[in-house]
Amino acid sequence: MFKILNQTFKTGTVTTGYPVSKADIPDSFRGRPHFDFGNWRDALPATAVCPTGAISVFDRADRRIVVVDYGLCVFCGLCAEATPEKAIQITKDFELAVEDRQELILSAEYSLSRDGSQQSLISFKHGPRPAEPAVERAGRKLKEGISKLLGRSLAIREVDAGSCNGCELEIVALNNPIYDIERFGIHFVASPRHADMLLVTGPVTRNMELALLKTYRATPEPRLVVAVGACGISGGIFGKNYASLGGVDQVVPVDVYIPGCPPRPQALLQGILVAIGKMAKALPFA
Ligand code: SF4
């Protein structure tokens, strides 16, 4: 017993300060690929290696449109390796949760040179915006905000709609002493009838479609649905096929999308914050 107490005091507090303080991200972490559209000379090699079709190219006459969908991206880094001009860099960015699926899509139009490479950038459409300062600040007052908004705490029902369980590992980590999500008054519940939010993973297999729909209907309003990971957003590596519906919003309305494969615990927390912010905007008395 003395040994355990001694070890506990020696270890001290391990809980991360995020989101009040900056997240401590390891060097080996692969986050969002950054695309330097202005200096990108040829998108075809990256398109050829992308395993999920997150990068697509449409050529017409002397014009090329390149579309990048972060909702499909699994952050594998293959596009950066296939692009010699360093126009794609893997970053440590993970705070990518958005309310609008379209915000995850970037597109650029180029004029083409005779050899088929991209000559000059004509136009560019922006994708995900950086987290609003208000959302970042929300971490400090999260517990207070949740009590005000929901009268007690935020109850989350996790729904695995056919995932590989990578996202579940990160979600489980939210309850460990490092991320300790309960310190914010957020806890996971066993029944959707007690839940304020559904945290849904997986591409939604056809076998899970009815279960997801029933879970959604059993959740009292106002309810939030958060689609987790590339699979939850778009079907990810599985896509849409005979066994998979291609994302949570194919079955139920989604309030917030959290990119990643899988999203790290801080990314999940940021997505939950974005969802709470959305609920606060929707309720006039909040
Ligand atoms: S990092 Fe994303 S965009 Fe790049 S190859 Fe992998 S899945 Fe495709």
Side-chain angles (χ1 to χ4, degrees):
M1 183 66 173
F2 179 73
K3 270 189 186 168
I4 293 172
L5 283 173
N6 194 27
Q7 188 57 46
T8 305
F9 285 121
K10 254 206 256 171
T11 306
T13 304
V14 293
T15 309
T16 168
Y18 184 84
V20 176
S21 57
K22 223 169 157 268
D24 188 16
I25 306 294
D27 288 339
S28 56
F29 174 70
R30 272 200 310 253
R32 171 182 74 93
H34 169 73
F35 295 84
D36 182 356
F37 286 95
N39 290 314
W40 203 359
R41 289 292 146 249
D42 192 1
L44 291 179
T47 310
V49 295
C50 181
T52 58
I55 307 171
S56 29
V57 168
F58 306 92
D59 285 351
R60 186 176 296 166
D62 62 344
R63 292 278 196 273
R64 169 173 292 170
I65 293 176
V66 181
V67 179
V68 174
D69 186 349
Y70 283 118
L72 275 161
C73 180
V74 292
F75 301 176
C76 66
L78 291 176
C79 52
E81 287 171 21
T83 307
E85 67 266 24
K86 303 276 176 224
I88 306 175
Q89 305 272 348
I90 299 301
T91 70
K92 288 194 199 175
D93 295 352
F94 66 88
E95 291 170 307
L96 304 171
V98 292
E99 293 174 21
D100 183 352
R101 172 79 176 87
Q102 292 307 311
E103 284 182 34
L104 296 174
I105 300 173
L106 315 168
S107 68
E109 186 177 357
Y110 295 91
S111 62
L112 287 178
S113 54
R114 284 192 184 173
D115 65 1
S117 61
Q118 291 144 213
Q119 193 171 39
S120 57
L121 180 64
I122 297 169
S123 63
F124 169 67
K125 188 174 159 286
H126 215 276
R129 285 169 292 192
E132 291 172 27
V135 170
E136 286 168 5
R137 276 201 307 273
R140 208 173 303 126
K141 296 185 176 173
L142 186 56
K143 193 169 177 178
E144 195 185 304
I146 288 172
S147 329
K148 192 177 158 205
L149 196 62
L150 302 164
R152 52 198 193 286
S153 58
L154 182 80
I156 300 177
R157 174 70 168 99
E158 201 267 335
V159 183
D160 176 348
S163 87
C164 69
N165 288 157
C167 289
E168 274 66 29
L169 287 173
E170 303 298 319
I171 291 170
V172 167
L174 285 173
N175 280 315
N176 72 23
I178 296 174
Y179 299 105
D180 190 19
I181 199 169
E182 295 227 3
R183 72 198 142 120
F184 301 120
I186 300 172
H187 54 261
F188 287 86
V189 292
S191 167
R193 299 197 191 282
H194 300 151
D196 306 297
M197 177 188 291
L198 298 179
L199 201 59
V200 190
T201 64
V204 191
T205 57
R206 293 196 189 266
N207 284 344
M208 282 302 293
E209 179 183 7
L210 186 58
L212 175 58
L213 205 54
K214 282 185 174 177
T215 307
Y216 176 75
R217 288 184 185 144
T219 310
E221 291 195 50
R223 64 194 155 202
L224 291 162
V225 178
V226 176
V228 176
C231 292
I233 297 173
S234 62
I237 203 93
F238 304 103
K240 192 172 183 174
N241 56 53
Y242 73 95
S244 151
L245 290 159
V248 179
D249 62 7
Q250 303 299 309
V251 183
V252 295
V254 169
D255 296 287
V256 169
Y257 299 85
I258 308 177
C261 185
R264 56 183 300 114
Q266 292 104 327
L268 295 168
L269 192 50
Q270 189 247 343
I272 293 168
L273 287 176
V274 172
I276 292 168
K278 182 173 180 178
M279 185 186 259
K281 277 186 254 160
L283 297 176
F285 52 84

